[in-house]
Amino acid sequence: MTKSESHQGVDRALRVLTLLGDNAAGMSLGEIAVATGISKSTMHRVLSAMKSRDFVHQDGPSSRYMLGPAALEVAFRFQAESPIVASFHDQLVQVSRWSGLTVHLARLMDTSVVYLDKVNPIDGLRTNSVIGGVNPAHVTGVGKALLAATLDEKDDRLLKGSRALEARTEHSITNLAELAYELELTRERGFAVDREESEVGVMCVAVAVEVVTGEFLGLSATGPSPQVIAIGIENLGSALLSAGMAAPYSRPAGRER
């Protein structure tokens, strides 16, 4: 491969990343080819190479291409270094040391959550979540807190446009009416609760925090169900709200809105 061909290949891959970054619902091979002006056969080779390195993902039922986990991990590792994200770290540490739970900072991406920071407890259960990792919002406490803060009570268009609600455990919410009710409860009390909806034996309490850019970030405390119950979900909710208020770039949502 000549240097010119190598540069051309890199340029095409970068154009695909930019294009898919602006189209979260994904695009077909034909749509990508038309948008870039590159033939379908050439674009298929580009996408195959990117797919092999997890920079793009192809949805099974629709065959549409979307940003893959490697691209998201790079993006959110970069974002994790931002001053706003970094400003929450000490607060996460304080809540984790006080509670003995794993504490996360996350943001909403469509109907999923992406983890921006994580503090493990010194002792006790350590969750398998990773910075840059993605989970469906409706089965996580932090996802429900962010959905409640982001969506208007009467505006469920985002949820209606999403795929069927995936069940992770027998406790997962799988219908929109139940999720809408749960989001209403979250708004009323100021924090969300995951009652073993993502993983059996694990509970989570979470709050949404508005930062100076107008975006919402989520703080959550996760651990074994008996430990979360012993601490008390109200106590955890209050601790997380206090942590959110202490971060210099934030304005807590929920009760404080």
Side-chain angles (χ1 to χ4, degrees):
M1 179 183 293
T2 67
K3 183 179 292 187
S4 175
E5 289 173 331
S6 177
H7 288 172
Q8 189 177 53
V10 172
D11 178 71
R12 288 168 175 167
L14 292 175
R15 290 169 69 184
V16 169
L17 287 175
T18 301
L19 191 61
L20 294 182
D22 290 333
N23 292 273
M27 300 178 70
S28 68
L29 171 60
E31 290 170 337
I32 296 172
V34 169
T36 58
I38 299 171
S39 70
K40 290 176 68 173
S41 59
T42 299
M43 183 51 64
H44 185 266
R45 290 195 295 272
V46 172
L47 290 167
S48 294
M50 297 177 71
K51 185 178 176 181
S52 71
R53 300 296 296 271
D54 288 332
F55 276 88
V56 299
H57 164 74
Q58 191 171 17
D59 180 64
S62 69
S63 296
R64 297 175 75 81
Y65 291 91
M66 307 173 186
L67 287 180
L72 296 173
E73 183 174 357
V74 170
F76 290 110
R77 281 188 182 277
F78 172 79
Q79 180 164 318
E81 298 299 321
S82 77
I84 291 178
V85 172
S87 73
F88 282 89
H89 186 76
D90 287 347
Q91 308 307 320
L92 304 187
V93 171
Q94 289 181 21
V95 176
S96 181
R97 298 297 177 262
W98 166 75
S99 65
L101 302 175
T102 299
V103 182
H104 295 98
L105 183 72
R107 68 170 295 190
L108 192 66
M109 184 180 69
D110 292 328
T111 55
S112 298
V113 289
V114 181
Y115 298 105
L116 304 175
D117 197 2
K118 173 184 179 181
V119 175
N120 285 314
I122 296 175
D123 299 307
L125 176 71
R126 298 192 174 200
T127 66
N128 58 9
S129 57
V130 295
I131 295 175
V134 180
N135 263 326
H138 70 281
V139 297
T140 64
V142 71
K144 290 189 289 185
L146 288 167
L147 286 174
T150 304
L151 298 182
D152 182 86
E153 289 87 338
K154 297 180 181 179
D155 183 3
D156 61 357
R157 287 173 295 175
L158 175 62
L159 296 172
K160 283 183 176 178
S162 68
R163 62 186 183 279
L165 298 182
E166 170 191 354
R168 287 287 181 86
T169 75
E170 62 179 336
H171 305 292
S172 299
I173 294 174
T174 57
N175 69 79
L176 291 174
E178 186 179 354
L179 179 58
Y181 177 71
E182 181 71 16
L183 297 185
E184 183 179 352
L185 287 179
T186 297
R187 295 184 188 101
E188 290 176 356
R189 66 192 172 203
F191 61 87
V193 183
D194 160 13
R195 296 178 175 84
E196 303 190 6
E197 297 158 50
S198 181
E199 184 177 350
V200 174
V202 175
M203 289 181 62
C204 170
V205 177
V207 301
V209 173
E210 186 177 7
V211 297
V212 292
T213 60
E215 180 185 17
F216 285 92
L217 301 180
L219 288 79
S220 67
T222 304
S225 298
Q227 186 176 352
V228 171
I229 293 170
I231 297 170
I233 60 173
E234 286 279 354
N235 293 332
L236 283 169
S238 296
L240 289 165
L241 281 172
S242 295
M245 286 187 283
Y249 293 99
S250 67
R251 180 167 64 85
R255 292 176 184 165
E256 306 300 321
R257 292 181 69 190

